Amino acid sequence: MSESLIYAIIIIVYLAILILIGFITGRKTKSVEDFYIGGRQIGPWVTALSFVAAYFSSVVIIGGGGFGYMFGMSTLWIGAINVLLGCTVCWIVLGPRIRKFTQRLNTMTIPGFFGERYKSNFALMFSAIIIVLFMIFYNVSILKGMGHIFEVLMNIPYAYGILLAGVIILFYVSIGGYLAVVWTSFIQAWVMGIGLIVLTIFSIKAIGGIGPANQALEAINPGLINTPGVWGWPGLISFALIVSFGVWGMPQLVVRFYSLKNLKVLKIGTVIATIGTCMALLPYFNGAIARVLCPGLQNPDLAIPTLAKNVLSPFGSAIVLAGVVAAGMSTFASVLIILSSSMIQDIAKKGLKKKLAKGKSLLYSKIASIIIGIVSLIIAFNPPALVLTLTAFAWAVIASTTLWPILFGIYWKKATKMGCIISMVGGFITALGWMVIGKPFGIHGFIPGIIVGLILMILVSLFTPGFSKEHIEKIWG
Amino acid sequence: MGPFHTPWLTFVAWIVAFGCIIFSIIWAIWVFKPKEDDDE
C-alpha cells in the first residue's frame, strides 16, 4: 500500500468520526446556552482534554518542533511553563471563581462577563471587537498551518487541504455547537497525545537514548543542551510567558470553566488537564532530536514532519500527521464558537441592543459561525502580508486586553469600571505598539502589555468610584 | 550534569512538569473543598 494511501485512509476515518460526532451532538443542542457552553453540563474528562486540544494548535506542534530544532533542549522550559502556568495554576486560580461568578451573572462569554461585572457596555464592546478581529487572524494562521501539513505530507494542494479541514469543522460546529467542539476536541486530544508519544519513543530509539541525544547535540553546539542556551533569557522567558500566562486571557480556553457541570468537576479535571498538558514538552524535545537525526533542514518548521517520516513506518507517520491535523482542527473549532458568541451575544444583542426574533437566536448563532468560518477560509487561501503580521500579534493583543479584567474581576472587589476600561485599552495599545515597532530587546509585546495593563488596573481602580454593596454581593454571594 | 547527560537547569524543566501533576493531585484531594451551595 502506498504511503499517501495510508495517510488518506487514516485521515478519512478520522474525519468521518468527527462528522458523526457533529450529527450526534446536533440532536442535543436545543438552546443558545447549549450552543455556546454546552448547557453547563460538561464533565471532567471532556472539559480537561478539550482544554488541552484547544490549547495546542498545529502551529504549536509544528512551531514547537521548529523552536526545538533551532534552539535545542532549553525550549523544554516553554513546555514546562505551559504545564505550570498555562494549565495547573490557571485551573486552580481561575476555574472555581469563573464557574461560580459567570453563573451568578448569567453570562456565556468573556465580553459578557465584563459587561455584567463592570457594568460597562464599552468594556463589553471593546473586548468583543478585539476578540473578533484578532481571533479571525489567529484562525487564518491555524488554517494556514494545516494547509501546509496537507501539502507537505500528503501532496494535497494547499487550497484543497484547508478547504477539506475547514468545511468539516464548519459542518460539525454549526450543527452541534459547543458540544460538538468539546467532544471532537476530546477525541483530538487523544490522537495528538498518541501521535506525539509514538514519535517520541521511536525518536529516542533511533538516536540510541536520551543521553546519546544530548551528547550529539552538545557536539554540534553546547548551547543546544544548556538553558537558556543559544536563545537567551529575554526571548525564552517572554515567549514562555505569552504562551502560558497568556492562556488566562484567551476566551476559547477560559470558556471551558463556564461550561463545567459543577465545581467538583474541577478536582479530576485539573489533574487530567495537567497530565494532558505535559505533552507540551514533546514537540520541543523531538525538534531538538531532529537537529541530530535530520540535519540541514532549510525550514525548521519541517523538523517534526521530517523526523516522523524518518523514524516511523508510514502507518506511524500517518498517526502523527493525524495528531497535528487534530491539533489545528480542535483549536479552529474552539475559536469559531468564541467568534460566533462575540458577534451575536456580545456585539449584536448586548452591545448594539439588537432585538433578535424570538427563538431565532440559535439559528443566528449557527449562521454567524458559518459566515466567520467562510471568511477565515477565504482569507487563508491567500493571506495578505498585513494579516500574517497581525496573526503573530493575536495572542499578545487579546491576552493583554482581557487578562487583568478577568483576574481582578473575580478576585478584587475594588476593581472599578474605569479601572477595567483603562487597563483594557492601555494593555491593548502597549502590546500592539510594542510588536509594531519590532519587539525591542527581543521581548514579546505581551510582557509590556500586561505590565502596563496591571499598573493601570490597580491605579485607576484605587482613584475611581467602586460598585454598590448590592452589586458586589450579587457577584461574591 | 544531571541525568541522561542533561544540564541540571534544563533537566529541572522535566521536574517542574511532573511536579505539577503531583501538585494537582494534592490540590484536588486535600485542598479544594467546594461547598454544596457553590453549585447554584
Side-chain angles (χ1 to χ4, degrees):
Chain A
M1 210 185 286
S2 79
E3 218 168 279
S4 294
L5 187 62
I6 294 172
Y7 286 157
I9 291 171
I10 300 253
I11 293 290
I12 287 168
V13 169
Y14 164 64
L15 295 180
I17 294 171
L18 301 184
I19 290 172
L20 185 68
I21 292 173
F23 275 120
I24 296 169
T25 51
R27 289 181 183 177
K28 293 181 178 174
T29 301
K30 294 188 172 77
S31 67
V32 175
E33 197 177 32
D34 291 339
F35 190 77
Y36 287 131
I37 53 173
R40 296 191 203 262
Q41 286 300 317
I42 312 295
W45 281 88
V46 175
T47 303
L49 291 183
S50 70
F51 175 91
V52 174
Y55 192 168
F56 300 112
S57 68
S58 47
V59 180
V60 171
I61 295 181
I62 295 292
F67 279 125
Y69 192 88
M70 285 188 291
F71 303 121
M73 293 292 181
S74 67
T75 54
L76 288 170
W77 270 104
I78 300 169
I81 304 295
N82 283 167
V83 182
L84 177 69
L85 271 183
C87 181
T88 313
V89 179
C90 173
W91 273 66
I92 290 171
V93 172
L94 293 187
R97 290 195 178 207
I98 289 274
R99 172 64 174 74
K100 269 191 281 185
F101 288 18
T102 57
Q103 189 159 31
R104 282 177 194 157
L105 292 171
N106 195 24
T107 60
M108 291 185 277
T109 64
I110 299 291
F113 169 73
F114 296 145
E116 295 294 328
R117 163 65 179 85
Y118 294 103
K119 289 187 171 178
S120 166
N121 208 37
F122 177 85
L124 179 145
M125 283 294 275
F126 184 76
S127 59
I129 289 168
I130 298 297
I131 287 168
V132 168
L133 197 62
F134 283 88
M135 279 283 176
I136 287 182
F137 298 145
Y138 183 45
N139 256 357
V140 169
S141 77
I142 296 165
L143 279 171
K144 201 167 160 277
M146 276 195 288
H148 287 312
I149 292 156
F150 280 117
E151 198 173 30
V152 172
L153 289 186
M154 288 174 69
N155 298 321
I156 293 176
Y158 171 81
Y160 293 154
I162 57 170
L163 203 58
L164 175 71
V167 167
I168 288 172
I169 297 168
L170 278 183
F171 171 79
Y172 70 69
V173 170
S174 59
I175 297 275
Y178 187 82
L179 280 176
V181 170
V182 289
W183 275 102
T184 50
S185 298
F186 174 74
I187 305 278
Q188 285 156 342
W190 283 104
V191 177
M192 283 160 61
I194 291 168
L196 283 170
I197 289 168
V198 166
L199 178 64
T200 306
I201 292 169
F202 280 84
S203 299
I204 291 172
K205 205 175 152 196
I207 205 167
I210 300 173
N214 281 318
Q215 283 165 345
L217 283 168
E218 191 181 26
I220 297 169
N221 181 348
L224 291 172
I225 61 168
N226 288 317
T227 299
V230 290
W231 200 352
W233 286 117
L236 183 63
I237 291 174
S238 61
F239 187 78
L241 280 179
I242 169 66
V243 292
S244 303
F245 197 34
V247 167
W248 298 39
M250 296 307 283
Q252 80 274 23
L253 298 168
V254 175
V255 78
R256 293 290 184 273
F257 303 128
Y258 283 50
S259 65
L260 297 171
K261 194 192 291 178
N262 54 49
L263 284 174
K264 290 187 189 84
V265 166
L266 282 166
K267 280 176 170 269
I268 304 171
T270 305
V271 178
I272 299 166
T274 302
I275 295 169
T277 311
C278 282
M279 79 166 95
L281 280 82
L282 302 183
Y284 301 103
F285 180 73
N286 283 299
I289 289 183
R291 180 75 178 252
V292 179
L293 293 179
C294 320
L297 289 180
Q298 293 296 316
N299 179 3
D301 283 351
L302 291 177
I304 296 286
T306 311
L307 183 69
K309 276 194 167 182
N310 283 3
V311 303
L312 295 173
S313 65
F315 180 77
S317 194
I319 296 283
V320 172
L321 167 71
V324 176
V325 173
M329 293 182 83
S330 55
T331 308
F332 183 88
S334 301
V335 171
L336 212 51
I337 280 284
I338 293 299
L339 283 166
S340 169
S341 65
S342 293
M343 285 192 73
I344 300 296
Q345 293 298 315
D346 301 325
I347 296 176
K349 267 177 97 172
K350 289 184 180 164
L352 301 174
K353 314 277 184 212
K354 295 274 180 201
K355 290 245 184 281
L356 301 181
K358 214 175 179 184
K360 295 279 184 191
S361 282
L362 181 59
L363 179 67
Y364 291 136
S365 303
K366 290 182 175 187
I367 292 171
S369 64
I370 293 172
I371 292 171
I372 296 159
I374 291 172
V375 169
S376 306
L377 273 170
I378 292 170
I379 300 173
F381 277 127
N382 189 16
L386 178 66
V387 170
L388 290 179
T389 309
L390 291 173
T391 291
F393 304 171
W395 267 64
V397 169
I398 295 171
S400 300
T401 306
T402 59
L403 196 153
W404 297 122
I406 292 175
L407 197 57
F408 280 91
I410 57 174
Y411 276 98
W412 198 32
K413 291 177 182 174
K414 288 181 180 168
T416 66
K417 176 178 171 177
M418 282 315 288
C420 165
I421 292 172
I422 303 293
S423 167
M424 266 184 185
V425 177
F428 164 73
I429 292 172
T430 309
L432 187 62
W434 192 271
M435 297 297 276
V436 168
I437 58 172
K439 291 195 285 184
F441 316 110
I443 294 171
H444 202 286
F446 173 68
I447 304 295
I450 55 163
I451 291 173
V452 169
L454 174 66
I455 294 168
L456 291 174
M457 174 58 106
I458 296 172
L459 282 182
V460 177
S461 289
L462 285 175
F463 294 104
T464 50
F467 293 103
S468 65
K469 208 177 164 192
E470 292 76 33
H471 182 65
I472 294 298
E473 268 174 14
K474 180 186 166 193
I475 304 167
W476 262 264
Chain B
M1 244 352 139
F4 306 110
H5 198 74
T6 312
W8 272 110
L9 193 51
T10 306
F11 189 74
V12 171
W14 291 106
I15 297 173
V16 167
F18 293 108
C20 285
I21 297 177
I22 309 292
F23 177 67
S24 68
I25 293 170
I26 292 169
W27 178 81
I29 296 175
W30 287 293
V31 180
F32 184 52
K33 306 276 182 206
K35 295 174 200 155
E36 286 297 319
D37 62 349
D38 278 342
D39 292 318
E40 289 152 31

